[in-house]
Amino acid sequence: MSARPEWNGTPPVAAATRPAVGLVFAILALDVLGVGLAMPVLPTLIAGLAKLSPERVSLMLGIAIASYSAMQFLCAPLLGALSDRYGRRVVLLIALVGMAVSNWIVAFAGGLASLLIGRALAGAAAANVSTVMAYIADVSDGERRTHLYGSAGSVIAVGLVAGPIAGGWLASFNPHLPFVAAGLLAALNALGGALYLPESLRPENRRAFDWRRAQPVGSLLALFRNRALRPYLLASVSTWAAYGVFQSCFVLANEARYGWSVVDASWALAALAFGMAVSQRFLVRRLTARLSGRAIIVLGYGCCCGAYLCYFAAAAPWLTYAGIAMQALGLVAEPAMRGELSRHASGRHQGELQGGLASLLSLVGAVAPLFGASAFAAAVRAGGGAAAAAGWPFAIGAALYVLALAPLARRPATDGADPR
């Protein structure tokens, strides 16, 4: 961080340096922390802003979460397309300012309306994950790109663990404090980015902004028109749907089977996040030296399928822990998948690719937990009790991983970048 970025529009070779990538990872960490900090605090804030019954608090919490996800779905392709036109740096800086403002709106909310507005704005700002991933694609290629995506996955995993812990600790002093702190971190990150973050997108790789491809439907259509991307996109949809089933059923299933408390489940999920961080930070580097990206994906999906079968058959806690270990190992597939997707898009379309992908997975992530919860409820009704039926949703998850492997059995239509 010894020099300011060049302002003359020249290709930023320095963008590949460690400080620049570190700043981008810090932005990604803020995206994850913004979710984690809010999780233990929002119910208290909502209850404090209005005298609501527990059922109404739950409803308002659901609306706050849905507004965050909906804005990510809507804005991810827009930010990706804007970054393809104007560069990654300016989009990331604007998003950081939006993140600071949104957190402070929630922190000083005087009513439910301002709280909901703040969370919606936070979701729009957090859609910058598409631009973060495009930045990584700009400054790397081949194995290095997969390595950096692995490091990004470890940042996400650490944030998933640290966010709720930090949020709960800060809220023990004041429920508004987590959002004040998150806003301050975003503001400091914006200042650091303004001073030291170089532009990563070369002038020759910029392209005209197209509204049709900057909104979710147009973005998704553009993604699936690329025949080389389709097998990877279909596989991503299937595995993200399996994770949605996991999210909605893991805590309930283990409560029914073993009488686990929320704390017990939290420790198990923290172990999964820690294992994910280790495997994506260290194991990915070793695998990419020996295997192709596609082979790593297939290996990872196989491990995750085995993990879901462990959850399905888990008559004792040790099987659940075995499933957690297998799932953590299997998540090496995620950075390899990101690497393969970016390899099949041209340098001029990395923002569009990452924006469309973020929008697609946000949509799946909103629907899949509802499907998982419905499957669990149906299994309970048909299976004579929660404990007896707890494993069946995970059988669906295992089947989704098998389904994800199917489109990867065939070679992609082309082996290079989309020439559009």
Side-chain angles (χ1 to χ4, degrees), residues 2 70 107 115 151 176 306 362:
S2 59
L115 183 145
S151 297
H176 299 269
S362 294

Side-chain angles (χ1 to χ4, degrees), residues 254 257-258 260 310-323:
N254 293 316
R257 283 167 163 167
Y258 319 130
W260 278 9
C310 285
Y311 299 143
F312 165 67
W318 72 267
L319 268 172
T320 295
Y321 291 125

Side-chain angles (χ1 to χ4, degrees), residues 74 194 355:
L74 293 172

Side-chain angles (χ1 to χ4, degrees), residues 6 9 22 71 75 81-82 85 105 158 191 215 235 250 274 303 305 319-320 348 355 380 400:
E6 295 293 332
M71 290 302 290
C75 294
L82 286 172
R85 173 63 182 89
I105 289 174
V158 171
L191 178 61
Q215 43 83 22
F250 183 79
F274 177 77
C303 286
C305 184
L319 268 172
T320 295
R348 299 175 66 243
V380 169
L400 285 168

Side-chain angles (χ1 to χ4, degrees), residues 231-232 234-247 272 276 280 296-311 323-324 326-334 337 371 393-409:
Y232 301 103
L234 293 172
S236 294
V237 167
S238 293
T239 58
W240 205 249
Y243 182 64
V245 172
F246 174 87
Q247 283 182 305
L272 174 61
M276 171 184 165
Q280 294 198 358
I296 295 171
I297 294 168
V298 171
L299 177 64
Y301 284 1
C303 286
C304 286
C305 184
Y308 278 72
L309 290 175
C310 285
Y311 299 143
I324 288 171
M326 293 184 70
Q327 188 174 0
L329 289 173
L331 289 173
V332 296
E334 295 308 308
M337 175 62 77
F371 173 72
F394 299 108
I396 297 173
L400 285 168
Y401 268 99
V402 173
L403 187 63
L405 287 167
L408 298 177

Side-chain angles (χ1 to χ4, degrees), residues 205 226 342-351 353 417-420:
N205 285 337
N226 184 339
S342 64
R343 187 171 68 86
H344 286 89
S346 69
R348 299 175 66 243
H349 291 83
Q350 289 295 331
L353 164 68
D418 180 11
R420 291 174 300 168

